[in-house]
C-alpha cells in the first residue's frame, strides 16, 4: 500500500462547510415540516415514526443474526481445514489426532460460544469430541465416543458439497434421550471434511449455544418500544417476553404456550408473508422471516423466492417479531408529541449556526488527524510505511503466523550504488528514483503484502501467507528484474541493481527484530556475492 497525499480533495474545508450549511438549512426545513405534520396528524405521525423504528430494530436484529451465523460459519470452516486434522487424515497418526483434539479444546475455551466441537469420520464415528462443560472444557475419552451415523445432521451434512453448511433446527439439547436441565438451546452447524485428494472423510460439527443469540436479541430489543419475539415455523416461542413460555414444541407441559394460540388472527397474517407490519386492537406487530440456512451463504440475496418456497425451507424458517401493546403504543405517542413540540421549536431557531460551526471544526480536526497520521506512519518521499509501523506490522504477522501455523517471508532490499544517483543527478532526481522504485516494488507483490522504507535506499517487503519457500525466490527474482530495468527520470535513463536478503518463517523462528537483522545481514551477503542478486539468511 502506498499513501499518496496528493489524492486528498482540494479545498476540503470549503466543500464541507458548504455541505454542512446546506444540511443545516435542510435540517431546519425538515424540523418545521415535521412539526407541522405531527401537529396535524398527531397519532398517525407517531405511528409512522414508531413503525419506522421497529423496522429499523428488526433490521439490526437480522444483521445480528447474520453476523452471528457468519462468525460460526467462519469458525466451522477454520476447524474443517485445521492443519492437525489434515495431517491426521493424511497419515492416520494418533499423534496428530491428539494435537487436533487439543487445538479444538483451546478453540472452544477461547470462543465460549459452543457446547461441543466434534469430528466424525465418513462412517459416523466420533473421532474426537470436545465438551465445553459450562466453562470447564475437556476432551472426551475415546471409550465414550459414539457412532452418530443415524443422526440426521450426519447423513445430511455428509451429502453436501465442499464448503456447504448444514444448519439444524433451533431446539433444546438432549442427553441420554432426555431434555438437558437446565435448558440448553442449541443449533448444530456442520460441514463435510475432505482430504488433500478431495476425498470426503467425514464432518466437523459445532453445537452452538443458542442462549447467547437469544440474550443478544433481547438486549438489542431494549432500545426500542417493542418486545422482541423469535418464533419457529409453527409459531412456538424460541424467544418470548416470559422465558417460561418458550420451547413449547419440545416441553410437553408447555405445548399450549405459543404465539399462534395467543394471537391467532395476527399469526394468520404473519405466517403467510416474509414481512408484515400492522396495527390492530392488540397493538402494533412487525415481523420478518429469517431463513437460517441462507444466513450461512456469502451472498444471501442469491436465494430465489422459489427456493425459499420449497417445503423443506418453509419448515426451516424463523419469524422475528416486534410487538407493542395497544396501551403502550398510544401512551408513548402522546408523550412524544409533546416533547417533540418543545424540542422542535427550540431546534428550529438554534440549530443552524451550531451545526455549521461544529461541522467546520470537525472537518479541520479530521484534516489535522489525517496529516498527523500520515506524518507518523508514511514516508514523505515514497508514501511507503515508515520503519516503526512496518515493524509493528511485522510483529502482528509473526504472532498470527505462529498462532495459526502460517508461513511468511521478509525481504530486506538495498539499491546498489544509489549514492551515485544523488551525486550525478541531484537529490531531486534521487527522490524521484526512490518514488519510482517504491511504485515498482508495490507492483511486484500482492495487495495483501506490505512494503516499507527503512530509510535511505533500504526497503523491506513482507509477504504474508506464502505456500512454499520457492514462492519467495520467485518474488525476489521478479523484484530484481523490475528494479534493474532502467528508470527514465527527467529525460535521464538511470539503471541500478538491487541486493536482497531473505528470511522466511517458520524456517527462521526468531523474534521479529532478529528476523529483520538476519534479512539485513543476508542482504549484505548478496552485495558481497556481486550485487543485483539475493541470498537467504543462514
Amino acid at each position: 500500500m502506498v499513501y499518496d497525499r496528493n489524492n486528498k480533495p482540494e479545498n476540503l474545508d470549503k466543500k464541507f462547510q458548504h455541505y454542512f450549511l446546506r444540511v443545516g438549512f435542510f435540517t431546519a426545513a425538515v424540523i418545521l415540516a415535521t412539526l407541522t405534520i405531527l401537529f396535524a396528524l398527531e397519532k398517525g405521525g407517531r405511528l409512522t415514526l414508531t413503525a419506522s423504528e421497529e423496522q429499523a430494530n428488526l433490521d439490526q436484529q437480522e444483521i445480528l443474526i447474520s453476523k452471528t451465523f457468519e462468525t460460526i460459519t467462519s469458525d466451522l470452516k477454520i476447524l474443517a481445514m485445521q492443519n492437525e486434522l489434515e495431517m491426521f487424515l493424511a497419515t492416520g497418526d494418533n499423534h496428530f489426532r491428539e494435537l487436533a483434539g487439543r487445538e479444538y479444546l483451546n478453540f472452544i475455551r477461547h470462543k465460549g460460544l459452543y457446547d461441543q466441537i466434534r469430528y466424525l469420520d465418513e462412517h459416523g464415528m466420533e473421532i474426537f469430541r470436545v465438551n465445553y462443560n459450562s466453562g470447564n472444557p475437556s476432551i472426551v475419552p475415546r471409550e465414550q465416543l459414539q457412532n452418530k451415523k443415524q443422526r440426521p445432521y450426519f447423513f445430511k451434512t455428509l451429502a453436501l458439497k465442499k464448503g456447504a453448511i448444514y444448519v439444524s433446527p433451533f431446539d433444546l439439547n438432549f442427553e441420554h434421550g432426555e431434555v438437558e436441565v437446565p435448558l440448553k438451546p442449541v443449533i448444530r452447524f456442520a460441514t463435510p471434511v475432505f482430504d488433500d485428494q478431495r476425498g470426503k472423510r467425514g464432518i466437523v460439527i459445532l453445537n452452538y449455544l443458542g442462549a447467547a443469540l437469544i440474550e443478544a436479541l433481547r438486549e438489542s430489543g431494549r432500545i426500542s418500544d417493542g418486545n422482541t419475539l423469535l418464533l419457529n415455523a409453527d409459531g412456538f416461542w424460541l424467544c418470548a417476553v416470559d422465558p417460561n413460555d418458550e420451547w413449547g414444541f419440545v416441553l410437553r407441559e408447555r405445548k399450549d404456550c405459543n404465539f399462534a394460540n395467543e394471537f391467532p388472527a395476527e399469526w394468520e397474517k404473519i405466517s403467510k408473508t416474509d414481512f408484515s407490519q400492522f396495527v390492530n386492537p392488540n397493538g402494533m406487530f412487525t415481523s420478518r422471516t429469517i431463513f437460517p440456512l441462507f444466513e450461512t451463504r456469502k451472498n444471501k440475496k442469491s436465494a430465489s423466492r422459489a427456493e425459499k418456497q420449497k417445503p423443506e425451507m418453509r419448515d426451516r424458517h424463523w419469524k422475528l417479531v416486534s410487538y407493542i401493546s395497544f396501551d403502550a403504543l398510544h401512551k408513548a405517542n402522546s408523550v412524544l408529541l409533546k416533547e417533540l413540540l418543545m424540542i422542535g421549536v427550540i431546534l428550529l431557531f438554534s440549530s443552524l449556526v451550531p451545526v455549521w460551526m461544529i461541522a467546520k471544526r470537525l472537518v479541520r480536526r479530521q484534516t489535522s488527524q489525517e496529516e498527523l497520521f500520515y506524518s507518523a506512519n508514511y514516508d514523505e518521499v515514497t508514501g511507503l510505511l515508515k520503519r516503526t509501523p512496518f515493524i509493528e506490522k511485522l510483529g502482528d504477522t509473526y504472532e498470527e503466523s505462529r498462532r495459526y501455523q502460517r508461513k511468511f517471508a521478509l525481504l530486506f532490499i538495498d539499491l546498489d550504488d544509489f549514492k551515485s544517483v544523488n551525486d550525478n543527478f541531484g537529490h531531486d532526481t534521487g527522490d524521484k528514483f526512490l518514488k519510482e522504485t517504491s511504485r515498482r516494488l508495490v507492483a511486484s507483490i500482492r495487495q495483501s503484502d506490505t512494503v516499507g522504507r527503512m530509510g535511505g535506499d533500504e526497503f523491506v517487503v513482507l509477504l504474508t501467507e506464502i505456500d512454499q519457500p520457492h514462492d519467495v525466490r520467485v518474488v525476489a527474482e521478479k523484484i530484481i528484474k523490475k528494479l534493474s530495468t532502467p528508470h527514465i527520470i527527467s529525460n535521464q535513463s538511470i539503471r541500478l541493481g538491487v541486493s536482497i536478503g531473505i528470511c522466511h518463517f517458520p524456517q527462521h523462528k526468531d523474534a521479529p527484530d532478529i528476523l529483520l537483522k538476519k534479512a539485513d545481514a543476508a542482504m549484505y551477503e548478496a552485495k558481497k556475492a556481486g550485487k543485483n542478486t539475493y541470498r537467504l539468511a543462514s
Side-chain angles (χ1 to χ4, degrees):
M1 171 185 173
V2 177
Y3 187 100
D4 189 353
R5 300 174 71 184
N6 295 324
N7 288 334
K8 184 176 66 175
E10 297 180 357
N11 301 319
L12 190 60
D13 284 354
K14 291 183 179 179
K15 289 184 178 181
F16 271 86
Q17 288 170 16
H18 179 67
Y19 173 76
F20 278 100
L21 278 173
R22 292 178 61 185
V23 170
F25 284 111
F26 177 77
T27 301
V30 169
I31 291 172
L32 288 173
T34 302
L35 283 174
T36 301
I37 295 172
L38 286 174
F39 282 120
L41 302 178
E42 291 188 351
K43 181 179 179 179
R46 173 53 185 162
L47 288 175
T48 300
L49 178 61
T50 302
S52 177
E53 291 174 346
E54 294 311 300
Q55 290 183 36
N57 182 53
L58 287 192
D59 287 342
Q60 293 302 312
Q61 291 177 328
E62 185 176 13
I63 291 172
L64 171 64
I65 293 172
S66 179
K67 293 294 185 183
T68 299
F69 276 54
E70 287 176 7
T71 298
I72 298 169
T73 300
S74 176
D75 289 347
L76 185 62
K77 291 182 177 179
I78 289 173
L79 293 173
M81 296 185 294
Q82 184 206 39
N83 290 339
E84 289 78 0
L85 177 59
E86 290 179 347
M87 292 300 296
F88 172 71
L89 295 178
T91 65
D93 190 335
N94 283 329
H95 171 68
F96 291 110
R97 173 179 182 167
E98 293 176 2
L99 288 179
R102 274 182 276 178
E103 283 295 315
Y104 280 25
L105 181 67
N106 291 332
F107 191 90
I108 201 172
R109 179 185 291 115
H110 173 71
K111 285 289 185 175
L113 297 175
Y114 308 111
D115 186 50
Q116 288 182 351
I117 304 178
R118 291 175 286 169
Y119 165 62
L120 283 65
D121 66 19
E122 63 269 32
H123 305 296
M125 186 64 198
E126 292 176 335
I127 301 304
F128 43 82
R129 182 175 86 224
V130 178
N131 291 340
Y132 186 59
N133 295 329
S134 301
N136 296 296
S138 63
I139 300 174
V140 176
R142 291 189 186 180
E143 62 270 20
Q144 296 181 21
L145 299 176
Q146 304 173 37
N147 192 297
K148 303 290 185 180
K149 67 179 181 179
Q150 300 300 328
R151 299 298 177 89
Y153 59 75
F154 171 72
F155 55 78
K156 288 184 178 180
T157 304
L158 198 64
L160 297 177
K161 297 180 180 179
K162 187 173 184 179
I165 305 294
Y166 166 82
V167 182
S168 76
F170 197 175
D171 59 11
L172 298 177
N173 193 50
F174 282 73
E175 288 294 338
H176 308 295
E178 298 291 335
V179 175
E180 184 176 354
V181 179
L183 302 181
K184 185 185 289 183
V186 294
I187 310 174
R188 295 174 179 86
F189 294 78
T191 191
V193 174
F194 293 78
D195 59 24
D196 56 1
Q197 303 300 317
R198 298 186 178 181
K200 194 175 291 186
R201 299 294 299 276
I203 71 170
V204 170
I205 181 167
L206 296 175
N207 284 19
Y208 171 68
L209 291 168
L213 178 61
I214 292 173
E215 182 56 33
L217 290 174
R218 284 199 176 103
E219 187 64 30
S220 174
R222 289 191 177 101
I223 65 174
S224 74
D225 295 332
N227 293 305
T228 297
L229 311 173
L230 185 64
L231 317 173
N232 70 7
D234 297 318
F236 285 92
W237 275 299
L238 304 174
C239 174
V241 177
D242 184 356
N244 292 321
D245 291 336
E246 297 168 352
W247 312 108
F249 62 98
V250 179
L251 304 174
R252 294 179 181 178
E253 64 274 19
R254 302 182 186 178
K255 64 180 181 179
D256 294 325
C257 297
N258 60 71
F259 183 93
N261 283 346
E262 187 166 341
F263 301 103
E266 290 80 0
W267 176 246
E268 181 70 13
K269 291 184 179 180
I270 290 173
S271 63
K272 292 181 178 180
T273 59
D274 288 343
F275 174 81
S276 64
Q277 186 173 63
F278 53 89
V279 177
N280 65 16
N282 285 325
M284 176 181 284
F285 295 82
T286 308
S287 72
R288 178 158 296 158
T289 304
I290 307 292
F291 291 88
L293 189 59
F294 297 148
E295 295 299 323
T296 65
R297 298 184 180 179
K298 288 185 177 179
N299 185 7
K300 303 175 186 64
K301 294 183 179 179
S302 65
S304 65
R305 183 175 181 83
E307 189 177 4
K308 291 181 179 180
Q309 294 296 331
K310 291 180 179 179
E312 62 270 26
M313 289 295 103
R314 298 308 303 175
D315 293 338
R316 291 286 304 282
H317 68 264
W318 301 339
K319 290 290 183 178
L320 189 59
V321 180
S322 174
Y323 165 58
I324 306 176
S325 69
F326 187 87
D327 291 339
L329 184 66
H330 290 280
K331 180 180 179 181
N333 180 69
S334 178
V335 172
L336 184 61
L337 282 173
K338 293 178 181 179
E339 292 176 349
L340 286 176
L341 178 61
M342 292 185 295
I343 295 172
V345 171
I346 295 172
L347 290 177
L348 179 65
F349 296 102
S350 63
S351 66
L352 298 181
V353 173
V355 166
W356 185 85
M357 294 177 64
I358 291 171
K360 185 176 180 181
R361 288 180 178 273
L362 288 174
V363 171
R364 287 178 176 175
R365 180 181 178 184
Q366 179 184 358
T367 303
S368 176
Q369 289 176 339
E370 289 177 352
E371 293 293 337
L372 288 173
F373 179 82
Y374 173 83
S375 298
N377 292 278
Y378 292 91
D379 178 63
E380 184 73 18
V381 175
T382 64
L384 298 175
L385 277 178
K386 289 184 176 179
R387 180 185 186 90
T388 299
F390 180 88
I391 292 175
E392 292 175 355
K393 173 68 174 178
L394 173 61
D396 293 340
T397 301
Y398 174 83
E399 292 299 330
E400 290 179 3
S401 299
R402 188 175 64 172
R403 179 178 301 173
Y404 299 110
Q405 299 187 1
R406 299 171 181 163
K407 299 176 183 178
F408 72 89
L410 178 66
L411 285 69
F412 199 105
I413 301 168
D414 184 84
L415 301 178
D416 297 330
D417 302 317
F418 174 73
K419 184 175 181 298
S420 64
V421 177
N422 284 333
D423 293 341
N424 296 327
F425 302 99
H427 287 281
D428 287 343
T429 299
D431 287 347
K432 292 177 181 178
F433 188 94
L434 291 174
K435 192 168 185 178
E436 174 61 15
T437 297
S438 68
R439 186 194 67 78
R440 294 186 184 187
L441 277 173
V442 171
S444 301
I445 62 175
R446 301 167 300 184
Q447 193 171 16
S448 59
D449 300 328
T450 304
V451 183
R453 184 185 180 194
M454 293 288 100
D457 59 344
E458 293 180 340
F459 300 83
V460 279
V461 173
L462 180 60
L463 303 177
T464 59
E465 295 190 42
I466 61 173
D467 293 326
Q468 300 296 333
H470 173 71
D471 298 338
V472 185
R473 298 186 181 95
V474 171
V475 174
E477 291 169 358
K478 183 178 181 182
I479 290 174
I480 290 173
K481 181 178 180 181
K482 278 185 173 288
L483 297 192
S484 61
T485 301
H487 295 223
I488 307 300
I489 300 175
S490 301
N491 297 321
Q492 300 286 342
S493 177
I494 305 173
R495 180 175 183 174
L496 295 180
V498 58
S499 299
I500 303 176
I502 301 172
C503 281
H504 50 74
F505 180 90
Q507 179 174 332
H508 301 98
K509 297 183 178 181
D510 307 280
D513 56 335
I514 304 300
L515 292 177
L516 198 60
K517 292 178 181 178
K518 285 190 173 183
D520 188 8
M523 179 272 292
Y524 279 104
E525 291 297 324
K527 282 188 177 294
K528 292 178 182 178
K531 302 182 181 180
N532 208 33
T533 186
Y534 65 87
R535 286 292 182 269
L536 301 178
S538 58

